[in-house]
Amino acid sequence: MKIAISSCLLGEPCRYDGRSCPSEAARLLQGLDGVELVPVCPEVLGGLPVPRPPSEVDAAERVLRVTSAEDADVTAAFMVGAQAALEAVGEGGCKLAVLKAKSPSCGCGLVYDGTFSGALVPGYGATARLLRTEGVRVVDEEQLAAVLAASAERRPGVLPALFAEASAACPVLQTERLVLRAIGPEDAEDVFAYCSDPDVGADAGWPVHRTLDDSRAFIEAVACEPHVFGVFEKLSVAGADGAAGSDGAAQELRTGPCIGSVGLIPDPQRRNVDALMLGYSLAKPAWGRGYMTEASREVIRYGFEELALGLISCTHYLFNDRSRRVIEKCGFEREGVIHAAEPAPDGTMQDLATYYLTRASWEEASRESARNGANSKLGQSTQEVRAE
């Protein structure tokens, strides 16, 4: 995966003060197999000298305006630099950029407010704005460090999920009763077993699979995308976390057939590179056991902790009460209804109930759960989930 990165984070002395600001997270990126970095410095690309007077985004202006500490309007140079950075990102085929926090070019979510007083306000630098508009995800070195730490804590030595370009490169996730992993060609018959059930496809919004080739095509075109997982029941958990069986020997984790899918996919209703949509389907014999709530909660955690998402959305057809209950148990807030949103497999136009969950809400609910010593809005006990 090619990743654009602010040159100063790699030690290039291109900051306004002639210095660099090397990042340990950026250094770790350089050592990851399969990751190629594309350094950019928008301000240098915009023709600004090194060193130069510090600049800040004027937060009081609705249209981008960048001024220097000498009260010079340097907006044009920052816009030229942003465009040049976008071209470099495009030529490099980068879908992700790691940019310098709080910078008037590269700030991601917080920038200095233009008063040169050290005050921070919500916002984005000139280059970060343009990249996001063009569909490139941007994170700063602080967000990157948090993602790398979350990944290393759970799976040391494994490529962090943020850099996965296909489902096969995503980590295997586990819950108390389930394993979530990439669906492969070997799972085609299992996928066909539940996708050929008209009650499953009708609720999920896709046509029933009529042949095994339909399921193979689904695996090749949809299930191969990053952050899409097959749902598998655990048959043996002894030894999965270093535990041993009755004879004292470690046992291999075994799973049953693929009984569904769950994942985070682009939301067709949102132009937000920091948002993905939760989608899922489950074999009919597995309904009523709380499996999809259990799987969805883990995928939501994965999205916020390991992908640094700001928002996760979800939808269901108005008649699908089972899906509605899963969504509500996962802590989503209802937004409303999109009328005549899409055609169902039978051709009739269906309304969509829409929901969202922000990172801040999820983090607060997680803290509340930890304080209470029990699951709260985002998670009941396994017994309660099974009763859904």
Side-chain angles (χ1 to χ4, degrees), residues 197-209 280-281 315-317 319-320 323 342-348 350-352:
D197 185 335
D199 288 338
V200 174
D203 285 357
W206 37 260
V208 63
H209 291 196
Y280 47 79
S281 62
T315 66
H316 69 79
Y317 290 153
F319 61 77
N320 192 343
S323 189
E342 63 183 37
D346 63 3
T348 59
Q350 290 291 333
D351 297 344
L352 282 176

Side-chain angles (χ1 to χ4, degrees), residues 57-61 107-113 119-125 129:
V57 174
D58 189 341
E61 298 285 344
C108 303
L110 285 174
V111 292
Y112 292 108
D113 68 353
L120 291 167
V121 292
Y124 290 82
R129 294 185 189 192

